[in-house]
Amino acid sequence: MNDVRPIRAKSGTNHEGTSAHNRRVMIDALRINGALSRADLARATRLTKQTVSNIIEELERDGLVSSQEAVRKGRGQPSTPYRLVPEGAFAIGLQIDRHVTRAVAVDLVGNVLVRDEAGLPAGGPSEGTKVILDLVAGVRAELAGIVQQSEKRLVGLGAAMPGPFGVAGSGDDPWMMGAWQKFPLLETLTAGTGLDVGLQNDAAAAATAERMVGAAHGLDHAVCLFVGYGIGAGLILNGELYRGSNGNAGEIGMALLFADGKSTPLEHRASLASLYQHLSADPADPDLHARIDGLALRGDPSMEAWIEAAAADLRWSIHLIETIFDPQTVILCGSAPEGLVNRLIVAIGPLLPSIAERRGRTLPRLQPGMADPWSVALGAAAGPISRAFDPHFAAILKDSR
Amino acid sequence: MNDVRPIRAKSGTNHEGTSAHNRRVMIDALRINGALSRADLARATRLTKQTVSNIIEELERDGLVSSQEAVRKGRGQPSTPYRLVPEGAFAIGLQIDRHVTRAVAVDLVGNVLVRDEAGLPAGGPSEGTKVILDLVAGVRAELAGIVQQSEKRLVGLGAAMPGPFGVAGSGDDPWMMGAWQKFPLLETLTAGTGLDVGLQNDAAAAATAERMVGAAHGLDHAVCLFVGYGIGAGLILNGELYRGSNGNAGEIGMALLFADGKSTPLEHRASLASLYQHLSADPADPDLHARIDGLALRGDPSMEAWIEAAAADLRWSIHLIETIFDPQTVILCGSAPEGLVNRLIVAIGPLLPSIAERRGRTLPRLQPGMADPWSVALGAAAGPISRAFDPHFAAILKDSR
DNA sequence: GTAATAAGTCAAGACATTTGACTTAATAAG
DNA sequence: CTTATTAAGTCAAATGTCTTGACTTATTAC
């Protein structure tokens, strides 16, 4: 009688879902391949020339694509290539880290147009969100000064911060950002900006950045091993970022390693935090980044000891990632100084044997990714752009929006 | 001029894709929720009553669903629930293991209607495929004897065998099935049966089985830790089996563990193969299964030593799986005897701390799955059924067949 | 100079979902 | 016991998007 158990089902789809998908497929194809003609698009997407023409016309009206000069490539009418218009859409990306927050404005193809950062006060989120909202407002205003009508084309705000999210008893570990985890950040940002807001962890953001403009561009299966203050993995599976059931997939910093009879989280062994501790450095020191870069380049002995130890852990992590995910490639990226990342890559080699050793590999097993303090903010901004324009299952269904 | 670099793009979709998806969504909803009325389906899938009516009518014509007696549940016209018709479709599942091969015939809802097994000769695949094709033919014939028109409703043959597939230099390791890896199995089975043939590793098959009729039923994020002759993980991510870029995702048996200054694959420490070695037992002994079950139940000391060691490795594996995938639950299954699996589950507890410890969990972190020698064959059969009837992204696109 | 080839358009057609009014069948209320 | 209300399900027309096949345009090959 009182059977109110909810019915679980996937959502159906209709014409609008079809059309939305096909639009996304066009945009994706142009992003991956550069400029393409309508005929090229028709062949690649298996849609008819007519359908492609209709959609391209619509995308051009919307300011998302534009035609280039016709190209003669043999017999037949010359083709008119279309390319993505960078100014077709923008997103704001926000990185919230322990001591600093960074915001960027990014366009449809991943150009960073505006960047700004600010120190985060020790007062926690209630103080911090003021700084953050000011920073975002500043970036937004600056973008509006560069591009007219930018507000109309702003698809959202992507935020990235260290995870994991919503885990019991994680409030007090100083390695995490306890107070921030409990704070209603999404709601505050939504209310404070009026934008669609998304949140992901920093490794996921780094992976999103690599997929839009980096080493994972056009790949469907790639894992980004992100070495920052903590360590995490950003998972690109089946062409989409994988989030897990609670948005915490890839948070391998908390993985316990057993050695010498005790267990230690990976994060305490191979992360900038562990390096700072090893060097007795103050994480809040603004010159630290440059200093670390210098130490790495100079081959400082204390630094080298840490690098050897961290490289061993990373080598094993990469082995495990290859074994578990069977990716096309693994990308090592981080907010660490470039000099350090390069030293790490050298120290990590040679890789352990794994199923990644296949006949006919084309991609390297391990590639360097972005080692740029701004890459997380860029990836954060890439989130809303991907949600708005990339093809994915959920975008076809009726309940997405 | 000679620019023949292929254009990479996702495929577009059209009305047929829409309709195919909606049909699959209906079937999925009925599978997860049991019988539902058209009105229920309309609400759950967000399609209109009319659309649902059309699709249900079509599915009924195709013999995939049927109506039950009308139910009065208050004011308003009584509703007519529809349910899946088990006899609506069949698939053959095939497990190829080291010393034995098993085949089953399964219906749309996962009932095993026919099962048969045969020993595999030592002669390798050229000998083995004869046995296998005979076995499949026998099961098919028996199915045809039970259900009329079964051949018309046979959607495919799913094969499962230990992986990994296509890895360089894996041909000679006696822990793997070297000769089989090099053999054109798919082609041989396709030619020998005339059916659509799919291939996956045994852990993936076990996960597929758990999703159709077991602990992962209706879950979108679950990992099955499969302890068989080897060890592997079957990954259900976003409601689909994840295969990786080469179908080897989850092949954690080859993951190297470092202890006592040397590295060992997980498979050599926690798998039936390692147990057989520990007990100096002959894997080809047909009574071994029962004997192991007995030893486990009796608390045999030698067995207990192995259990303690294996449980420690499994405990850590589960911790790692939780940390990496953030699943709703982890399912321990295997082709091991049930007594052994139960002992292992007890020995594994308590679990290590991880991000899976959340406020408001409803599912247990670790659940027992099927511990049935036939579960891999069942899962192998579930593969084609899932491909044919479950909603998934690829099924919408034009190039999926 | 003509045929072949390829890009792209036009207009009609096909197909699946949606819309809104309607029918049917039950319970609740007075 | 009658009537109002509620909910399931149907009917027929409308809508939106892709497809089809013929046609136009522009270029190169012979």
Side-chain angles (χ1 to χ4, degrees):
Chain A
M1 276 304 113
N2 214 351
D3 189 0
V4 231
R5 154 195 57 136
I7 296 170
R8 284 186 314 165
K10 290 204 164 56
S11 160
T13 185
N14 59 11
H15 304 131
E16 288 172 37
T18 303
S19 156
H21 172 71
N22 287 344
R23 276 179 62 122
R24 286 167 184 261
V25 165
M26 302 286 162
I27 293 170
D28 189 49
L30 294 181
R31 194 192 291 284
I32 294 177
N33 300 283
L36 292 175
S37 69
R38 299 180 184 204
D40 284 338
L41 283 166
R43 278 185 296 264
T45 61
R46 311 200 180 207
L47 293 165
T48 60
K49 286 185 295 183
Q50 187 57 59
T51 300
V52 171
S53 266
N54 295 340
I55 294 176
I56 286 292
E57 196 181 335
E58 190 189 315
L59 291 175
E60 196 168 19
R61 246 197 338 267
D62 291 352
L64 292 169
V65 310
S66 71
S67 59
Q68 297 181 319
E69 234 172 73
V71 186
R72 288 187 276 240
K73 40 181 178 189
R75 210 176 261 193
Q77 176 170 325
S79 64
T80 308
Y82 287 79
R83 64 178 181 91
L84 287 186
V85 175
E87 304 77 26
F90 304 95
I92 308 291
L94 177 66
Q95 177 188 21
I96 302 172
D97 213 336
R98 274 86 178 167
H99 308 289
V100 67
T101 179
R102 298 189 179 93
V104 296
V106 166
D107 69 20
L108 180 58
V109 302
N111 297 315
V112 176
L113 303 177
V114 182
R115 63 181 68 191
D116 196 8
E117 65 181 337
L120 272 182
S126 49
E127 290 294 307
T129 44
K130 289 176 200 157
V131 175
I132 289 171
L133 286 174
D134 278 353
L135 185 71
V136 169
V139 165
R140 237 169 127 175
E142 200 173 333
L143 176 67
I146 299 176
V147 206
Q148 37 193 328
Q149 305 279 341
S150 66
E151 283 288 315
K152 275 193 186 159
R153 297 181 172 279
L154 208 48
V155 296
L157 168 69
M161 63 182 287
F165 306 121
V167 173
S170 68
D172 310 314
D173 187 336
W175 290 78
M176 304 183 208
M177 294 173 64
W180 284 90
Q181 306 287 355
K182 293 174 186 162
F183 187 78
L185 184 62
L186 274 179
E187 294 75 0
T188 309
L189 290 177
T190 304
T193 63
L195 295 172
D196 259 9
V197 181
L199 176 65
Q200 54 189 353
N201 66 55
D202 43 12
T208 309
E210 293 291 345
R211 183 163 154 75
M212 181 148 78
V213 296
H217 188 73
L219 298 185
D220 282 339
H221 307 273
V223 177
C224 292
L225 187 53
F226 176 82
V227 180
Y229 193 89
I231 182 168
L235 314 173
I236 306 289
L237 311 182
N238 286 330
E240 296 176 35
L241 184 81
Y242 183 68
R243 313 179 65 97
S245 68
N246 295 293
N248 287 330
E251 283 286 358
I252 57 172
M254 303 182 69
L256 294 172
L257 307 186
F258 292 87
D260 314 326
K262 60 173 197 270
S263 72
T264 324
L266 177 59
E267 195 147 62
H268 292 200
R269 298 167 53 122
S271 69
L272 290 188
S274 76
L275 174 60
Y276 298 157
Q277 202 169 48
H278 178 80
L279 298 176
S280 308
D282 172 14
D285 174 3
D287 300 328
L288 192 53
H289 193 85
R291 215 182 95 214
I292 300 263
D293 206 18
L295 288 176
L297 290 172
R298 210 177 319 130
D300 173 83
S302 173
M303 175 73 103
E304 286 297 309
W306 179 85
I307 286 178
E308 281 308 317
D313 286 334
L314 292 176
R315 187 184 307 123
W316 178 79
S317 302
I318 291 162
H319 163 80
L320 207 60
I321 286 169
E322 289 182 334
T323 305
I324 290 179
F325 288 103
D326 186 17
Q328 292 166 286
T329 192
V330 176
I331 299 165
L332 185 70
C333 48
S335 58
E338 199 170 348
L340 178 58
V341 172
N342 290 338
R343 264 302 284 121
L344 270 176
I345 291 219
V346 173
I348 286 171
L351 296 175
L352 293 167
S354 87
I355 57 166
E357 291 174 324
R358 303 178 62 82
R359 301 174 273 280
R361 270 199 82 91
T362 52
L363 295 169
R365 286 172 61 188
L366 179 65
Q367 300 185 62
M370 287 180 246
D372 180 336
W374 294 91
S375 65
V376 171
L378 165 57
I385 291 186
S386 175
R387 263 202 305 287
F389 298 111
D390 286 350
H392 59 268
F393 197 13
I396 296 181
L397 310 185
K398 290 188 81 180
D399 55 6
S400 71
R401 166 110 340 269
Chain B
M1 276 303 112
N2 216 350
D3 188 0
V4 230
R5 153 196 57 136
I7 296 170
R8 285 185 312 164
K10 292 204 162 56
S11 161
T13 186
N14 58 12
H15 303 130
E16 288 172 37
T18 303
S19 152
H21 171 70
N22 288 344
R23 275 179 62 122
R24 284 166 185 262
V25 165
M26 302 286 162
I27 292 170
D28 189 49
L30 295 180
R31 195 191 290 284
I32 294 178
N33 300 283
L36 293 175
S37 69
R38 300 181 183 201
D40 284 338
L41 282 165
R43 277 185 296 266
T45 62
R46 312 201 177 203
L47 293 166
T48 60
K49 287 184 295 183
Q50 186 57 57
T51 300
V52 171
S53 265
N54 295 341
I55 295 175
I56 286 293
E57 195 181 334
E58 190 188 316
L59 291 175
E60 195 167 20
R61 247 198 336 269
D62 291 352
L64 292 169
V65 309
S66 71
S67 58
Q68 298 180 318
E69 233 172 74
V71 187
R72 288 187 276 237
K73 38 181 178 193
R75 210 177 261 193
Q77 176 169 323
S79 65
T80 308
Y82 286 79
R83 65 178 182 92
L84 287 185
V85 175
E87 303 79 24
F90 304 95
I92 309 291
L94 177 66
Q95 177 188 20
I96 302 172
D97 213 337
R98 275 86 178 169
H99 309 288
V100 68
T101 179
R102 299 189 178 91
V104 296
V106 166
D107 67 20
L108 179 58
V109 302
N111 296 316
V112 176
L113 304 177
V114 182
R115 62 181 67 192
D116 197 7
E117 65 182 336
L120 271 181
S126 49
E127 290 294 307
T129 45
K130 289 177 199 158
V131 175
I132 288 171
L133 286 174
D134 278 353
L135 185 70
V136 169
V139 165
R140 236 168 126 174
E142 200 173 333
L143 176 67
I146 300 176
V147 204
Q148 38 194 326
Q149 305 279 343
S150 67
E151 283 288 314
K152 274 192 187 161
R153 297 182 172 277
L154 208 49
V155 296
L157 168 67
M161 63 182 286
F165 305 121
V167 173
S170 69
D172 310 314
D173 186 336
W175 290 79
M176 305 184 210
M177 295 172 66
W180 284 91
Q181 305 289 355
K182 294 175 185 159
F183 187 78
L185 184 62
L186 274 179
E187 294 76 359
T188 309
L189 290 178
T190 304
T193 63
L195 295 172
D196 258 9
V197 182
L199 176 65
Q200 54 189 351
N201 65 56
D202 44 12
T208 308
E210 292 292 345
R211 183 164 155 75
M212 181 148 78
V213 296
H217 187 71
L219 298 185
D220 282 337
H221 307 272
V223 177
C224 292
L225 187 53
F226 176 82
V227 180
Y229 192 89
I231 182 168
L235 312 173
I236 306 288
L237 311 182
N238 287 330
E240 297 177 34
L241 185 80
Y242 182 69
R243 312 179 65 97
S245 68
N246 296 293
N248 287 329
E251 282 287 357
I252 58 172
M254 302 181 72
L256 295 172
L257 306 186
F258 292 87
D260 314 327
K262 61 174 198 272
S263 72
T264 323
L266 176 59
E267 194 147 64
H268 292 201
R269 299 168 51 124
S271 69
L272 289 188
S274 75
L275 174 61
Y276 298 158
Q277 202 170 48
H278 178 80
L279 297 175
S280 308
D282 173 14
D285 174 3
D287 300 328
L288 191 53
H289 194 85
R291 216 181 95 216
I292 299 265
D293 205 19
L295 288 175
L297 290 172
R298 210 178 319 127
D300 172 84
S302 175
M303 174 74 101
E304 285 297 309
W306 179 86
I307 286 178
E308 281 308 317
D313 286 334
L314 292 175
R315 188 184 308 123
W316 178 80
S317 303
I318 291 162
H319 163 80
L320 208 58
I321 285 169
E322 288 182 334
T323 305
I324 290 180
F325 289 103
D326 186 19
Q328 292 166 286
T329 192
V330 177
I331 299 165
L332 186 70
C333 48
S335 58
E338 199 170 349
L340 178 57
V341 172
N342 290 338
R343 265 301 284 122
L344 270 176
I345 292 219
V346 172
I348 286 171
L351 296 175
L352 293 167
S354 87
I355 57 166
E357 291 174 324
R358 305 177 60 84
R359 301 174 273 279
R361 271 198 83 91
T362 52
L363 295 169
R365 286 171 63 186
L366 180 65
Q367 300 185 64
M370 286 180 244
D372 179 334
W374 294 90
S375 63
V376 171
L378 165 57
I385 290 184
S386 175
R387 263 201 304 287
F389 297 111
D390 286 351
H392 58 269
F393 197 12
I396 296 180
L397 311 184
K398 289 188 80 178
D399 55 6
S400 66
R401 155 123 334 270

